Every structure is written in C-alpha cells, then in structure tokens.
Amino acid sequence: MSRVNQKTKICVMCGDEKVEGIIIQSGFICDKCEYEIIHTEVGDEKYPFFIQRMKKLWLKNA
Ligand SMILES: [Zn+2]
C-alpha cells in the first residue's frame, strides 16, 4: 500500500509526531491516545490526566 505524503501533527497527549489521529478543536490526538482515552475506565489513574488535557483543548477555544 502506498500512502500520499501526509503532514505529521504533534499529539497533545503524548507529544509524538503522528499522521493518524483526530482533531478536537485545535488540538490533535493521535490514534494511539484516542484508543487509550476510549479504553480508560473512569476509575483509572490515567483518567484525570486525560480529562485535564481535554479540558485545556476545550478552554483554548471557549
Ligand atoms: Zn498521542
């Protein structure tokens, strides 16, 4: 499979440069982090961290 040269974006969660992912407001979340967020339970220790990052994204454009 060949892929057109796509621009990489910096993930707001992990800081990695990725091509695949989603854009929330002005922030980019890579597919890996998106998967983690979706599969993180509310009681998980990582959950507050994700919420914090997500809130920052939303507040930026509020
Ligand atoms: Zn990421």
Side-chain angles (χ1 to χ4, degrees):
M1 244 169 64
S2 66
R3 190 185 282 272
V4 187
N5 191 24
Q6 286 176 282
K7 273 188 188 167
T8 55
K9 298 171 201 69
I10 306 290
C11 172
V12 294
M13 294 289 175
C14 63
D16 282 357
E17 271 187 58
K18 295 279 169 65
V19 174
E20 304 287 342
I22 53 163
I23 307 276
I24 293 179
Q25 299 289 15
S26 59
F28 171 77
I29 296 173
C30 73
D31 56 352
K32 191 192 79 184
C33 292
E34 186 199 354
Y35 179 92
E36 275 206 68
I37 293 163
I38 291 164
H39 292 86
T40 299
E41 306 273 332
V42 177
D44 196 290
E45 59 179 12
K46 278 185 292 183
Y47 194 79
F49 168 79
F50 288 140
I51 296 300
Q52 276 278 312
R53 290 296 183 98
M54 299 287 273
K55 269 188 191 163
K56 274 184 191 167
L57 285 183
W58 259 280
L59 287 173
K60 207 155 62 175
N61 284 1

